[in-house]
Amino acid sequence: MANTNTAQMNDFFGHPRGLSTLFFTELWERFSYYGMRALLVLFMTAEAIGDNPGLGFGVAEAAAIYGLYTFFVYVLSLPGGWIADNLWGQRKAVFVGGCIIAAGHFSMAVPTTTFFFIGLALIVIGTGLLKPNVSTMVGDLYPEGGARRDAGFSIFYMGINFGAILGPLLCGLLGEGYNWHYGFTLAGFGMVLGLISYKIGGKYLGTAGDLKIDDSEEVLKKRSKIFYAVVSVIGAAVVILGFLVSSGAISLALTTIAQNLGLVAVVITFAFFAYIIFFGGHNKEEKKRLGVIFWLFILAALFWSGFEQAGSSLNLFAADLTDRSAGPSTFLGGFGAILLSLFFAIPLAYYSYKTFKRDDLWSIAKYAVVFSSVGIVAFLYWVFSQIGAGWEIPASTLQLINPTFIVIFAPLFGMLWTWLASRNANPSIPVKFGLGLLGLAAGFFVLAWGSANASSTNLVSPAWLIVTYFLHTVGELCLSPVGLSSMTKLAPKSRVGQMMGIWFVAAALGNLIAGLVAGQLENLAPSGLFQTVAFIIGGGGIVALLAARPVRKLMGDIE
């Protein structure tokens, strides 16, 4: 274990050095996740023959697989958190999860359908272990809590979005431009870099992520045996079911599985809320707030059912109906690429110099800034040169638009809410949820308009997608940041963990529905699909705003 002084050194931009460990671990994990996600539907729907063959699946089947995959990524965060809290501690859970994720990406690098599905299953399991627990460790670095902890989470959140930018950019260029399996391999190497960073920086984490329970060794061993037995039975059942379905012994369509799974999730969630509200032993005030959580759960699931189509229907729209050609350009083909690169290089060089001269920064952080700046300039020169010669931008690369907007606008929204709060005009939580839905709906209306006359011979400008992603980002920044916070504020003290889990279930259900909705592109024109989604989500946003005042009254003194 690291000594206390080392663990508490505040030289990562004024924060504990351990934050850098978790920052880069999560950056590379998100790099691998979003890099692979950007390729997933495109790979499955690509022709099974040709220079860069895919799986040749239909849109409905591919979208159902995508929905099931993203559903389980979120749902398995619940047992992943339990394992960390009761068996391993967060530190071990994050490392084991990262190893499983890397194995999953490398499995997908093998060009067979069997290894593709094995890879997806491994990534789901690994992400369930890593995702919830690395965030918990960030909180452990700030036992004092307060504004400094919030600032630490803001820095950590930027790492998530930097990874979400780099993943689609680099994995998309390699996978879609050269070979799908090269892209999956690069995602795997990204996770390996995260694991290396995690192990090297582990000494700066102090006691963050250690197992914190008072149970005896005997109780732990007994619990572990039961856990591994249950996991073995479930794993064997999944393998047997997969074999029976693939061999044709059981006829079960993936879309049917996804629909039934969604129905089961809805029924269980409704039954759970009915039980805890009417039979959970809570007082009148707590029951009201649980009712508010239930309402926010419905709105969140509706929001994610539209927003998470970024990797499915919006990705397919980018691939099939968007003009992604850039160049050729005489200017960029000559000295223009060098001149534009220098335009970015000068401020980056100045920023790197000022950072390197600081005495209060960890040396590794200084070198990371310098090498990142060099890498950015080199990459920009390559992009400008490609455009100069004439280049078709990979569709998967457009997946980086949303996280780029998040990096730009998240601080601005934070300042906006603070400014409004200082004037007693900060919208309530139910109003922000309604605004988030309306922002999402506006994005789909824009895309419905843009796709009205689009066809394979009449491609539309990428500006339609850029505006759509901007509006979706505005919606996300209204709803997502307050979501988890509202769960912790509104939940009774005895059910905070369960309500955090409910938020993950809302995201999981939304992802599953998003996949099923995107599958309708097989039989429905994009404009019709996007318009329908816009009306449904927009209607939900209007209802949310109309219900905001009575819902606000149920919240009591919770802000």
Side-chain angles (χ1 to χ4, degrees), residues 521-534:
L521 280 176
E522 192 161 282
N523 304 308
L524 188 64
S527 58
L529 176 68
F530 296 144
Q531 188 177 71
T532 301
V533 172

Side-chain angles (χ1 to χ4, degrees), residues 59-221:
V59 171
E61 185 178 9
I65 293 169
Y66 174 85
L68 288 167
Y69 163 71
T70 51
F71 172 85
F72 281 112
V73 160
Y74 282 96
V75 165
L76 289 191
S77 293
L78 304 179
W82 183 90
I83 291 168
D85 290 340
N86 295 278
L87 292 177
W88 294 350
Q90 284 79 24
R91 189 174 297 198
K92 179 180 177 181
V94 168
F95 182 73
V96 173
C99 291
I100 295 173
I101 290 170
H105 286 300
F106 291 132
S107 294
M108 294 179 73
V110 180
T112 68
T113 306
T114 300
F115 274 97
F116 170 77
F117 284 110
I118 290 173
L120 283 182
L122 289 173
I123 294 169
V124 163
I125 294 168
T127 306
L129 284 169
L130 187 148
K131 182 62 179 165
N133 294 311
V134 70
S135 300
T136 302
M137 291 174 68
V138 174
D140 286 349
L141 293 173
Y142 301 89
E144 74 282 1
R148 189 162 173 268
R149 184 185 187 187
D150 293 341
F153 269 104
S154 296
I155 293 173
F156 179 73
Y157 191 61
M158 295 301 280
I160 292 175
N161 284 288
F162 285 140
I165 293 170
L166 289 173
L169 177 64
L170 300 181
C171 294
L173 288 173
L174 194 60
E176 197 176 343
Y178 296 93
N179 187 291
W180 299 110
H181 302 286
Y182 293 171
F184 297 141
T185 302
L186 181 60
F189 280 122
M191 189 64 255
V192 169
L193 282 175
L195 289 169
I196 293 171
S197 170
Y198 185 67
K199 294 304 288 185
I200 291 175
K203 58 186 176 183
Y204 303 120
L205 293 172
T207 60
D210 290 344
L211 184 61
K212 300 178 181 70
I213 56 175
D214 298 325
D215 296 332
S216 65
E217 191 71 25
E218 184 178 344
V219 171
L220 276 175
K221 286 182 178 178

Side-chain angles (χ1 to χ4, degrees), residues 172-351:
L173 288 173
L174 194 60
E176 197 176 343
Y178 296 93
N179 187 291
W180 299 110
H181 302 286
Y182 293 171
F184 297 141
T185 302
L186 181 60
F189 280 122
M191 189 64 255
V192 169
L193 282 175
L195 289 169
I196 293 171
S197 170
Y198 185 67
K199 294 304 288 185
I200 291 175
K203 58 186 176 183
Y204 303 120
L205 293 172
T207 60
D210 290 344
L211 184 61
K212 300 178 181 70
I213 56 175
D214 298 325
D215 296 332
S216 65
E217 191 71 25
E218 184 178 344
V219 171
L220 276 175
K221 286 182 178 178
K222 183 177 180 180
R223 187 182 298 151
S224 296
K225 286 181 180 178
I226 295 173
F227 166 73
Y228 289 119
V230 171
V231 168
S232 298
V233 170
I234 294 174
V238 170
V239 170
I240 292 171
L241 178 63
F243 174 76
L244 292 174
V245 172
S246 63
S247 64
I250 295 179
S251 179
L252 200 59
L254 286 167
T255 51
T256 303
I257 295 175
Q259 290 167 355
N260 291 334
L261 192 62
L263 182 61
V264 169
V266 169
V267 170
I268 290 175
T269 304
F270 276 52
F272 171 74
F273 271 106
Y275 173 77
I276 63 171
I277 290 174
F278 296 109
F279 307 105
H282 298 290
N283 59 41
K284 186 176 180 181
E285 201 65 33
E286 289 174 334
K287 288 180 179 179
K288 289 180 180 178
R289 292 174 182 172
L290 285 168
V292 174
I293 291 177
F294 180 57
W295 175 241
L296 297 181
F297 165 85
I298 294 172
L299 297 181
L302 179 62
F303 178 85
W304 297 122
S305 71
F307 184 86
E308 288 298 337
Q309 289 188 51
S312 50
S313 64
L314 272 64
N315 211 7
L316 291 169
F317 179 83
D320 300 334
L321 300 174
T322 302
D323 181 6
R324 293 173 281 110
S325 59
S329 167
T330 304
F331 172 69
L332 291 177
F335 287 103
I338 298 174
L339 291 175
L340 280 179
S341 300
L342 286 174
F343 176 79
F344 289 97
I346 292 171
L348 285 171
Y350 174 76
Y351 177 74

